[in-house]
Amino acid sequence: SGDDPVLVRRAQFDRAATTGKRIGYLLYLVAIIAFFIALFVGFSDVWTWIVIGALLAGSLFLLPAIIIGYAVKAAHRADLGLSDGH
């Protein structure tokens, strides 16, 4: 229901998690592409920092996004009365 504040807030967290995952994985893709470009044109400090920066930034986005995504899914399963196996 659109009137339930808990469900509205959960949907907001779900959207934030989805966006965080997309950004994080996109940054990982940037790191991979930069690595292969550097591999062919020659590694320099700039390419190295691009790869490292993209990996770090991607990790900073992915870590909370994955945790929040699992929490949203667990809350949804709990609402449905499904057991998590414990």
Side-chain angles (χ1 to χ4, degrees):
S1 164
D3 296 333
D4 187 350
V6 173
L7 295 179
V8 169
R9 188 75 171 143
R10 189 181 301 161
Q12 290 172 341
F13 276 107
D14 190 38
R15 282 190 301 275
T18 301
T19 301
K21 288 178 192 177
R22 286 181 182 159
I23 293 170
Y25 287 125
L26 180 63
L27 286 166
Y28 277 9
L29 180 63
V30 168
I32 291 169
I33 291 170
F35 175 81
F36 280 106
I37 289 172
L39 191 63
F40 289 109
V41 301
F43 278 94
S44 66
D45 287 345
V46 172
W47 286 112
T48 303
W49 283 111
I50 291 172
V51 171
I52 292 171
L55 286 172
L56 288 175
S59 297
L60 289 174
F61 275 96
L62 275 175
L63 178 64
I66 290 171
I67 293 170
I68 291 170
Y70 276 118
V72 168
K73 288 176 187 172
H76 181 68
R77 283 192 307 270
D79 283 351
L80 295 175
L82 301 175
S83 173
D84 63 351
H86 295 268

